[in-house]
Amino acid sequence: LSIEKFIMKNLYFNFFTKPNFISYAINSFPNERVQKFRKSGKLVLGWTARTLEDLEKAKKYCDNIIGEKIEILEEWTKISND
């Protein structure tokens, strides 16, 4: 893992940039730093939801998703309202 990837994966720039939300790869969850960010009241978007398994994972760790197929987005609407 390069130093650049390590810094980005662990959100070390957030100390300087103070983002209002982050977008993080669904397949990289769980991530302790992302969950800490979310618990601070900020939004976490998961990308890219392609399957129902991605949606189930995103439901645990994300506030919203970025998806590719309309069927996936429709399913997200159903499960996120549960």
Side-chain angles (χ1 to χ4, degrees):
L1 189 65
S2 72
I3 188 72
E4 292 89 1
K5 286 184 180 181
F6 178 80
I7 289 169
M8 295 302 288
K9 181 179 181 181
N10 289 288
L11 309 176
Y12 288 124
F13 278 116
N14 287 4
F15 176 78
F16 301 106
T17 59
K18 305 206 182 331
N20 294 317
F21 71 93
I22 59 171
S23 180
Y24 208 79
I26 291 170
N27 62 3
S28 294
F29 287 114
N31 180 293
E32 184 179 315
R33 293 188 188 275
V34 174
Q35 292 316 109
K36 185 177 177 183
F37 181 85
R38 188 176 185 211
K39 287 179 183 175
S40 76
K42 306 226 172 125
L43 296 176
V44 172
L45 303 176
W47 58 268
T48 299
R50 294 183 179 100
T51 66
L52 294 177
E53 292 80 20
D54 290 344
L55 288 182
E56 287 302 317
K57 195 173 204 182
K59 186 176 180 183
K60 293 179 193 174
Y61 302 109
C62 305
D63 298 295
N64 212 329
I65 61 160
I66 299 166
E68 285 190 347
K69 299 177 182 173
I70 192 69
E71 298 84 11
I72 293 296
L73 299 176
E74 288 171 347
E75 189 64 27
W76 172 262
T77 302
K78 290 177 195 173
I79 66 172
S80 65
N81 290 327
D82 290 344

